[in-house]
Amino acid sequence: MIIVMRRGATPEEIQTVEERVRQEGCLPHTSQGVETVVIGVIGQRTEGMVERMARLPGVEMAIPITKPYKLASKEFRAGPTIIDLDGVKLGSDDVVIMAGPCTVESREQVVTTARGVRAHGAHVLRGGAYKPRSSPYSFQGLGVEGLRLLQEAKEISGLPIITEVMEPGNVGLVAEHADILQIGARNCQNYPLLREVGRISKPVMLKRGPGCTIEEWIMAAEHIMSQGNMQVILCERGIKTFETYTRNTLDLSAVPIVKRLTHLPVIVDPSHGTGKWYLIKSMCQAAIAAGADGVLIEVHPNPDTALCDGAQSLTIENFADCVEGIRRVAEAVGRRVPARELVFA
Ligand code: PEP
Ligand code: MN
């Protein structure tokens, strides 16, 4: 349920509503809008509660939310959630490009990539320091050293950083270095981890689990938001199907669906979605045409030598061509890829 307060409702009236919500065994989540205060009610609604809340002084209306997800729902917030990433506004008409290596391998590799992707239009640098690898014998990432190298690449390139966190106990450390925390596909339903990133005040990008329905994925976002962190970005990265030609099946229909159901920004990762570098540009263009707010692309200065995901990584030259392709589609659908000069003036 959401409770919309009258314009000019007093702090005492708001406090009384919050107290009554707690007495009913629920948690109030109060947001101050431009003109009105809206109180989201988290928890199981009791019989007759909507009517009881609607009668309290200062309340304009109480609206039950029918969806299982509440805070993520369009019913809770009609306008889009917009996340400011150093001047680029994810969730607005800006198309945001996040790019970088799958894994941070060395200073030279990450700095070369950061400079290259920035020169060709990226807004955010990606790179894994803690890697969820299917095999325990594969390279697991550089850990803290990887975070330090990302920080250095950020200082040199001016690009904010997105990197993955895999354990609740590491959230504080990763949040010290990253501008956006990534929850990987395998951890989409790791609820203790979701709750932990729900307690920080940095944006969190939640990848769709390979076996998650759209509703399970949005419910995972709800776990983060229920702890107070409203800055959640959804990322479609492909799901498991019977098809084997591509690494996963990139479900682009998920983009307009989650845009219809939620107010959260949605980005698409065609690198993990397809596993093939030569499919990235067309899937990026299709993603933007479908209404995605941005893309996440793996780029490596020399994909043949990459320690992880080389087959799906673009060279810097191919990345430049991909961005041009994205720009053309963005313009065709009335959006824009903000120019680096405008953003980092
Ligand atoms: C990644 O982004 O490097 C990654 C491991 O992706 P996913 O969680 O989508 O497999
Ligand atoms: Mn990868």
Side-chain angles (χ1 to χ4, degrees):
M1 174 193 345
I2 52 173
I3 300 168
V4 182
M5 302 300 293
R6 288 211 182 101
R7 258 192 224 188
T10 65
E12 293 72 33
E13 286 170 338
I14 296 167
Q15 216 180 330
T16 307
V17 173
E18 289 171 338
E19 271 160 25
R20 288 294 299 270
V21 167
R22 284 196 195 91
Q23 281 163 15
E24 301 259 4
C26 295
L27 269 181
H29 179 275
T30 306
S31 336
Q32 176 72 59
V34 185
E35 290 180 337
T36 48
V37 167
V38 173
I39 302 171
V41 178
I42 304 161
Q44 206 61 43
R45 151 160 58 90
T46 50
E47 184 74 31
M49 185 175 172
V50 176
E51 295 71 19
R52 284 194 293 283
M53 292 298 144
R55 282 196 296 269
L56 293 177
V59 172
E60 176 76 36
M61 56 188 163
I63 311 162
I65 297 182
T66 48
K67 301 274 188 323
Y69 36 89
K70 311 289 177 196
L71 302 170
S73 158
K74 266 265 170 68
E75 294 171 77
F76 179 67
R77 196 177 198 277
T81 287
I82 296 179
I83 298 177
D84 194 314
L85 301 168
D86 280 3
V88 192
K89 296 195 165 35
L90 180 66
S92 71
D93 283 343
D94 292 354
V95 167
V96 176
I97 299 177
M98 307 186 185
C102 175
T103 310
V104 177
E105 298 169 7
S106 66
R107 182 183 185 279
E108 201 199 329
Q109 174 244 20
V110 71
V111 169
T112 306
T113 314
R115 284 207 172 104
V117 297
R118 176 175 171 162
H120 295 293
H123 309 104
V124 176
L125 176 68
R126 66 146 285 149
Y130 296 94
K131 294 304 300 178
R133 301 304 302 274
S134 305
S135 165
Y137 310 117
S138 303
F139 178 52
Q140 306 292 310
L142 293 177
V144 187
E145 174 64 4
L147 293 178
R148 206 192 55 70
L149 292 176
L150 281 169
Q151 197 76 48
E152 213 177 314
K154 173 182 173 166
E155 278 156 25
I156 292 169
S157 67
L159 293 175
I161 301 293
I162 178 166
T163 194
E164 178 160 352
V165 59
M166 297 205 299
E167 301 172 40
N170 258 355
V171 168
L173 173 70
V174 176
E176 273 174 36
H177 294 81
D179 298 282
I180 308 172
L181 278 75
Q182 171 171 323
I183 300 294
R186 293 159 187 80
N187 277 318
C188 180
Q189 291 180 299
N190 179 341
Y191 301 118
L193 181 61
L194 299 180
R195 279 196 296 276
E196 200 59 38
V197 294
R199 294 189 195 107
I200 60 167
S201 54
K202 288 205 166 169
V204 174
M205 188 188 77
L206 174 67
K207 287 196 163 196
R208 179 179 182 183
C212 280
T213 63
I214 288 173
E215 187 164 303
E216 286 165 340
W217 179 28
I218 302 174
M219 287 308 283
E222 190 79 12
H223 271 272
I224 301 173
M225 300 172 87
S226 70
Q227 300 303 305
N229 189 349
M230 298 290 140
Q231 297 191 87
V232 177
I233 305 159
L234 296 171
C235 175
E236 163 62 40
R237 50 74 75 201
I239 51 174
K240 294 276 181 223
T241 67
F242 55 81
E243 182 54 67
T244 54
Y245 187 84
T246 47
R247 182 176 177 182
N248 290 288
T249 296
L250 188 63
D251 180 11
L252 287 182
S253 70
V255 174
I257 294 171
V258 289
K259 282 270 165 193
R260 189 185 171 92
L261 298 176
T262 82
H263 51 82
L264 299 173
V266 185
I267 74 157
V268 169
D269 168 0
S271 306
H272 296 88
T274 67
K276 294 186 158 54
W277 70 269
Y278 54 86
L279 297 177
I280 308 307
K281 180 180 171 186
S282 54
M283 289 301 99
C284 282
Q285 291 181 303
I288 301 310
D293 295 300
V295 288
L296 179 79
I297 308 170
E298 287 189 339
V299 178
H300 194 286
N302 185 2
D304 290 343
T305 65
L307 293 181
C308 183
D309 289 351
Q312 65 192 38
S313 298
L314 296 182
T315 58
I316 291 168
E317 200 179 26
N318 282 337
F319 172 72
D321 177 55
C322 180
V323 173
E324 273 321 301
I326 294 170
R327 204 182 294 283
R328 285 197 297 277
V329 173
E331 280 163 15
V333 296
R335 304 190 59 194
R336 56 175 209 135
V337 178
R340 172 175 67 89
E341 290 72 17
L342 293 179
V343 176
F344 303 107

